[in-house]
Amino acid sequence: MTDARGPAGPNGDTSARHAPGTPCWVSLMVHSPAATEEFYGALFGWEFQPGPQQLGPYVRALLDGCEVAGLGRLPPDRHLPIAWTPYFASQDVDLTAETVRSRGGTIGVGPLDAADAGRLAIGSDPSGAIFGIWQAAAHLGTAVAGVPGTPAWNELLTYESASAAKFYRTVFGYEEEPEVSADFDHVTLHLGGGPVAGIHGLGHALPRDRGAHWVTYFQVADVDDALDQLVHLGGHVIEPVHDTPHGRVAHVADPEGARFALLQRPG
């Protein structure tokens, strides 16, 4: 569970262009953007500035002046779940979108231009998990990593890992590191020799009300303190803190129900 964008600067700055297939941005569309900005601003220390408005009102979240995520208003005519959506970098979003379609996925939004920031599409894999595709122009994506308040990892929760991994490998060129046993079905997706995302097959334990979906992990300095703050701000704990090989993790939801995870790195 590491970031494959290359070495970060002294403050975690990763302002270089993201390699194709790398998770490069996360975005959340909600009904009440102002309340959501207040929640995440207090939880992660984010500030906000206007971004492209092609899909309606949209802001970019900043951490110490560096862009880390996006928040927008859910269009009333689009029946999308309230969920954090990871975007994967592409050199040609139109070609990537065609590959998604040819491999059994769907494209629900775009491809379309986001002003001078870049070009995007939003689609879903054959199991229904929603993700974005980003072709950068002026906006390269998440500009800082490895510090509290930044996206740290993206994990797909789906029925089984093998077919999902094949789809994402075909679309984005990943290499796979499977970890399959009698009671654990997991694949780590690699680019350039480093891990960039995970796929966890849950079988019949996959929540029926959610279906297959991506989960974004955000790094925090102290997961227990972050949980206390989250609950105080109106969020909810879905799965309490537990230890993993990558650190202490808790699965949570914001006041509108968008699920995500908090990660405290070891050390």
Side-chain angles (χ1 to χ4, degrees):
M1 186 184 287
T2 60
D3 189 277
R5 280 171 288 197
N11 298 311
D13 184 15
T14 59
S15 55
R17 184 172 295 273
H18 296 262
T22 306
C24 63
W25 190 243
V26 291
S27 190
L28 174 64
M29 307 297 279
V30 296
H31 296 296
S32 303
T36 300
E37 288 179 35
E38 185 176 346
F39 172 83
Y40 286 101
L43 184 63
F44 293 138
W46 291 350
E47 298 177 333
F48 301 91
Q49 68 178 18
Q53 308 293 305
Q54 273 65 23
L55 298 179
Y58 191 82
V59 296
R60 291 177 182 152
L62 307 179
L63 184 68
D64 296 328
C66 296
E67 297 174 342
V68 293
L71 295 173
R73 176 174 290 141
L74 190 65
D77 60 334
R78 293 195 183 276
H79 300 288
L80 296 172
I82 298 174
W84 281 101
T85 300
Y87 281 71
F88 299 92
S90 171
Q91 291 181 316
D92 185 335
V93 68
D94 295 79
L95 180 59
T96 303
E98 280 303 312
T99 306
V100 168
R101 293 189 184 101
S102 72
R103 298 300 174 178
T106 60
I107 298 295
V109 177
L112 56 84
D113 290 325
D116 64 349
R119 189 164 172 80
L120 68 88
I122 301 173
S124 58
D125 67 22
S127 66
I130 295 173
F131 63 95
I133 308 164
W134 181 252
Q135 180 181 334
H139 174 62
L140 299 181
T142 303
V144 62
V147 297
T150 62
W153 186 248
N154 290 284
E155 185 100 350
L156 173 63
L157 304 184
T158 191
Y159 182 74
E160 55 86 23
S161 68
S163 59
K166 182 178 180 180
F167 169 82
Y168 287 98
R169 180 184 71 235
T170 304
V171 173
F172 294 112
Y174 299 127
E175 296 177 348
E176 301 168 27
E177 181 187 347
E179 307 168 50
V180 180
S181 64
D183 58 354
F184 190 65
D185 176 15
H186 188 275
V187 170
T188 302
L189 302 175
H190 289 251
L191 273 178
V196 294
I199 299 176
H200 191 182
L202 296 177
H204 294 294
L206 184 70
R208 291 190 177 185
D209 61 330
R210 294 281 300 167
H213 62 284
W214 282 93
V215 176
T216 296
Y217 289 65
F218 292 95
Q219 187 167 335
V220 294
D222 186 300
V223 69
D224 297 289
D225 289 348
L227 278 182
D228 289 343
Q229 177 78 331
L230 176 134
V231 172
H232 175 73
L233 294 167
H236 310 281
V237 179
I238 298 171
E239 185 178 337
V241 179
H242 56 282
D243 292 317
T244 77
H246 308 289
R248 305 189 72 217
V249 172
H251 289 262
V252 298
D254 69 18
E256 284 207 26
R259 299 187 180 191
F260 59 101
L262 302 172
L263 169 67
Q264 178 185 335
R265 297 283 193 188

